[in-house]
Amino acid sequence: MPSTVEITESLIRDYINRAVTDVFKTMLGRVPTFSTPGETTSKAASPHTSGRPLVVGTVGFVGDINGLIYLHLDLAFAELCTRHLLGMNEAELIEAGDEVINDAVGELTNMTVGSFKNGLCDAGYPCKLTIPTITRGTNFSIEPVGNIVRHIYQFDCAEHRVVADILLQPEE
Amino acid sequence: MRYKVLTVDDSKTVRIIVRKAFKPYDCDIIEAGNGVEGLAVAAKEMPALILLDVTMPVMDGVEMLTKLKADPALKGIPVIMLTAEGGREHVLKIAKIGVRDYLVKPFKEEVLIEKCGRVLDLKPIADAPAKARSIFDPADLLIIEDKPAIIQQIQEGLRHTPWKIRGVSTTAEAVAQCASATPDLILVSLSLPEEAAFTFFRHIRTGIKTKYTPVFGLVVKTEIAQQQQAQTVGFSAVITKPIDTAELETKVAKAMNLDTSLRYFALDGEAMVLTMPENCAPAVLAEVGAYLKPKFAEAVDAGVNKVVIDLHHVKALHMGIIKLLFQAMQTCRELAISYALVGHAQLVSECKGFEDTRGWTFHDSLEDAKASLARATPQLAGVS
C-alpha cells in the first residue's frame, strides 16, 4: 500500500492539466492550454455563461476518495471532436445523430477522468471509475450538496473552451 | 487466414476506433458491449485476440477476464486490456489473472496495432488487389551504408530504373526514414560498427509495417562469417562487394515480386517479340525461361500466333542461350505458334559451329522476321 500524499489544490490542478492535455493531444492531435487559474469553491456556480448549447460528460470515481468530474464542451467542439475521433465527415455525423456525439464525449470524459484518478490511485487513494453519463443543455447549474470541495479549471483548445468541473468529497 | 479480433467495450466510439485502426490489416473485428456479451461472442467466434475494457455495465472486464480464464475452451485466447483504469495496483491485480498486455487510454492507434502485432502476425492488406507491380513501376529503396561511394555506385547502376534510391549512413537515420515512409526494399551494410545491421534487422522484423520488407545485406566477398550470420537470421539476400548492379537489379526485382516480363516480352502488332538482353547471365535466362509458357500462352489467348525471338543484343552464343532457345521453340510448337529468329552475322556464324543449331535461320531485322512469318506456313519460319 503506497503512502498517501496530501491532496492539495496544486496537486489537483497538476493532475487535471496532465489528464486533459494527454487525452486531447493523443486522441485529437490538439494541445489545450490552461486559460484561467483554478477556482476553488463550495458554492453553486455555472462555469459556462456563453448560452451556447453544451454537451457535458460526467464520470465519477469511488474508493478511498470519491468525486465527480464534469467535462463541458460546447456542441460545435463536441461535433468536431467526434468527427476527428471516428474519421467522419459532416454529413456522416449528421446521419449518425446525437447518440454518436454523446458516446464520443462520454469516452473523452472517461479517458480524462481515468487519467486524473490514476494519479490519485498512485498517490495512495485507490478508486474505481464509474460509467459515463451525458447531459445536454444551454443553461444549467450544478449544485453540490453537503460539504463538497469544488475546483473549476478552464482550457482553451482549437478556439473552443473546455471546462473541467471537479467535485471532491472531503476525507471523513 | 483472417484473424478475428474481439473488442469488448461499452463505448461505441472505442469500438469504431479499434475497427479503424485494424482496417489496413487482414483482420475481422467483432464487437461486444459488455462482459456477458463478450463471453458469448468469444465462445461462438473463438477470436485470435480479445481487447478488453474494464469499466462496463452488466459485467465488467475483470469479471469477464476471470470467467474467461476459468473456461478450459477459452482460457487460451490472448487478452490485451484497453482501459482508462491504469492505477499501478489495479494493473498488477489484472496482470495476475492473466493478460498479454495492458494499454491505458488515451491511446494512439499505432501503439494499439504495435501491441497487437506482438500477439498476432498482422499482415497489411493490399490496397489494389490482383494487378502485380511491374519492373516499370516506381519503388522506394533504402540503403544504409557508411561508405558514400557504395551508395553512389548503386544509385548510378540502377539509374535506368524508376526506383527512388535513398542512402543514409546510420541505422538511426534508417529507423526514422522507415517510420515516416516504409521502403519497398532495404539494403544494409553488414560491416556497420557494433553489429548495427543485425540490430536494425531485428527492429525491422518486429515492426508491423516492415516485417515483410525484403532486407539485403551488403558485405565484402571474403567476409564469410557475416554472410553466414545474415543468412541464419533471415536476411532476404546477401549482395557481395564489388557489387554487380545487373545481378542486384534482378535480385531486387525478384525480392519485391515484380513482374519483369515486360523487359523481354512485348506484343508488337501481330507478333509477340521476345528480346534477349545483352547480359544473358544464368539468373536472367532462368527469369526468361520462367515467363516463356505464360507469355506465349497469353499471346495465343489474345489472338496472336506469331513469335519473333530477337537476339541482336546478344554478343556471343553459349549453351545457356541455346538451351533457352530450344525451350522457346518447343513451347511454340506446343501452342501451334510460328516463330522466327533475328540475329547478327556473328551469331549466325557461331550457330554453324553446333550440330543442333546449324539449321537455324536468322533474319536481319524485326521487320524481315515479321514479313517472313506472314508469308510462311506455321512453325517453319525459324528453321531452314
Side-chain angles (χ1 to χ4, degrees):
Chain A
M1 180 82 179
S3 58
T4 55
V5 174
E6 191 190 348
I7 298 175
T8 60
E9 188 280 328
S10 149
L11 188 85
I12 288 169
R13 186 182 346 122
D14 184 34
Y15 284 177
I16 194 66
N17 187 22
R18 205 184 306 164
V20 171
T21 304
D22 193 23
V23 170
F24 281 71
K25 190 175 164 192
T26 307
M27 302 308 294
L28 304 167
R30 295 174 191 274
V31 183
T33 50
F34 242 137
S35 78
T36 58
E39 180 191 342
T40 303
T41 173
S42 58
K43 296 174 191 165
S46 178
H48 255 286
T49 53
S50 66
R52 285 188 290 186
L54 297 172
V55 183
V56 181
T58 314
V59 171
F61 41 95
V62 290
D64 284 11
I65 187 166
N66 298 309
L68 269 178
I69 297 181
Y70 295 87
L71 198 67
H72 299 237
L73 276 70
D74 63 61
L75 179 60
F77 192 44
E79 288 173 349
L80 192 72
C81 293
T82 307
R83 282 172 52 191
H84 186 97
L85 276 174
L86 305 182
M88 284 179 168
N89 61 34
E90 205 173 341
E92 286 168 334
L93 186 65
I94 290 167
E95 194 184 335
D98 289 348
E99 196 189 325
V100 170
I101 300 169
N102 292 349
D103 194 84
V105 172
E107 190 52 36
L108 285 175
T109 312
N110 180 50
M111 289 179 187
T112 305
V113 180
S115 185
F116 176 86
K117 79 95 201 168
N118 289 338
L120 295 176
C121 289
D122 293 343
Y125 299 90
C127 51
K128 289 182 179 179
L129 292 172
T130 65
I131 289 163
T133 57
I134 292 290
T135 310
R136 277 172 173 257
T138 50
N139 184 14
F140 57 86
S141 62
I142 295 154
E143 294 185 28
V145 291
N147 190 22
I148 296 292
V149 179
R150 186 175 186 184
H151 304 274
I152 298 170
Y153 300 99
Q154 301 191 345
F155 299 84
D156 283 333
C157 187
E159 297 172 1
H160 293 271
R161 175 65 49 94
V162 176
V163 177
D165 189 353
I166 305 170
L167 276 69
L168 281 177
Q169 191 175 46
E171 287 178 88
E172 295 292 318
Chain B
M1 188 197 77
R2 285 173 73 87
Y3 287 117
K4 284 179 186 170
V5 176
L6 169 61
T7 166
V8 186
D9 202 305
D10 59 327
S11 166
K12 194 176 176 184
T13 300
V14 172
R15 302 199 304 263
I16 293 173
I17 293 171
V18 168
R19 190 176 283 280
K20 191 154 63 81
F22 278 93
K23 202 174 176 186
Y25 299 94
D26 198 19
C27 285
D28 287 325
I29 303 298
I30 43 180
E31 300 178 16
N34 59 56
V36 171
E37 281 180 23
L39 284 170
V41 176
K44 188 181 169 208
E45 301 283 350
M46 291 306 288
L49 175 67
I50 297 174
L51 300 172
L52 183 56
D53 187 19
V54 171
T55 311
M56 293 182 290
V58 187
M59 182 192 285
D60 70 16
V62 178
E63 191 178 348
M64 176 182 159
L65 182 67
T66 307
K67 287 185 188 299
L68 192 86
K69 292 299 169 189
D71 186 330
L74 305 178
K75 68 177 180 186
I77 301 172
V79 175
I80 293 179
M81 300 307 294
L82 179 59
T83 173
E85 284 283 1
R88 267 193 297 272
E89 283 190 24
H90 210 87
V91 173
L92 285 173
K93 181 185 153 194
I94 289 173
K96 278 183 189 162
I97 307 171
V99 290
R100 289 293 282 269
D101 215 327
Y102 204 109
L103 184 54
V104 178
K105 298 172 185 173
F107 64 100
K108 284 200 172 294
E109 291 176 24
E110 311 85 271
V111 177
L112 173 68
I113 292 298
E114 194 260 324
K115 282 189 184 286
C116 294
R118 291 186 200 158
V119 180
L120 304 177
D121 182 20
L122 291 176
K123 290 189 174 71
I125 45 173
D127 290 337
K131 191 174 185 288
R133 285 205 304 167
S134 109
I135 192 80
F136 298 119
D137 291 329
D140 284 321
L141 273 58
L142 177 63
I143 309 170
I144 308 131
E145 170 62 84
D146 54 2
K147 295 163 194 76
I150 298 290
I151 295 176
Q152 198 179 352
Q153 186 197 348
I154 296 171
Q155 286 172 328
E156 289 291 330
L158 301 179
R159 189 177 289 280
H160 60 280
T161 68
W163 302 335
K164 185 178 167 194
I165 302 165
R166 291 172 291 164
V168 293
S169 58
T170 65
T171 52
E173 289 173 88
V175 168
Q177 293 256 3
C178 290
S180 60
T182 310
D184 295 293
L185 186 136
I186 299 168
L187 297 110
V188 56
S189 169
L190 302 181
S191 323
L192 293 173
E194 296 170 352
E195 297 210 323
F198 296 96
T199 310
F200 173 74
F201 181 79
R202 282 193 293 276
H203 172 82
I204 286 295
R205 283 293 171 263
T206 52
I208 297 292
K209 288 182 179 166
T210 54
K211 70 161 93 168
Y212 297 107
T213 304
V215 181
F216 285 12
L218 297 171
V219 66
V220 177
K221 203 171 257 176
T222 49
E223 293 286 358
I224 304 296
Q226 284 181 334
Q227 292 180 43
Q228 284 173 343
Q229 191 183 350
Q231 278 157 355
T232 306
V233 300
F235 273 67
S236 314
V238 175
I239 303 295
T240 54
K241 301 174 190 175
I243 296 166
D244 176 344
T245 49
E247 184 196 359
L248 173 64
E249 185 183 338
T250 304
K251 287 188 173 175
V252 167
K254 194 173 175 192
M256 292 197 294
N257 203 21
L258 300 182
D259 177 5
T260 53
S261 66
L262 297 174
R263 257 191 206 149
Y264 315 110
F265 296 85
L267 277 171
D268 183 3
E270 291 186 354
M272 170 161 275
V273 178
L274 162 56
T275 306
M276 294 300 294
E278 181 183 340
N279 170 24
C280 281
V284 172
L285 292 173
E287 194 173 66
V288 176
Y291 284 123
L292 278 176
K293 218 163 215 171
K295 294 308 287 186
F296 287 180
E298 190 183 303
V300 172
D301 194 40
V304 172
N305 63 352
K306 299 179 183 70
V307 164
V308 177
I309 304 172
D310 183 358
L311 294 138
H312 78 265
H313 294 301
V314 177
K315 292 212 169 121
L317 214 54
H318 58 71
M319 280 312 294
I321 301 174
I322 293 170
K323 276 185 187 172
L324 182 86
L325 291 173
F326 271 118
Q327 191 188 337
M329 292 170 188
Q330 179 60 29
T331 307
C332 285
R333 284 188 207 97
E334 286 169 10
L335 292 166
I337 294 174
S338 310
Y339 59 86
L341 303 173
V342 175
H344 48 74
Q346 191 192 326
L347 285 185
V348 176
S349 157
E350 283 176 355
C351 280
K352 301 288 179 207
F354 296 99
E355 180 63 33
D356 292 335
T357 59
R358 197 164 289 160
W360 289 0
T361 299
F362 286 86
H363 299 273
D364 293 331
S365 67
L366 280 177
E367 288 65 35
D368 284 356
K370 283 197 267 186
S372 162
L373 284 170
R375 291 191 304 268
T377 36
Q379 298 182 44
L380 298 175
V383 181
S384 61

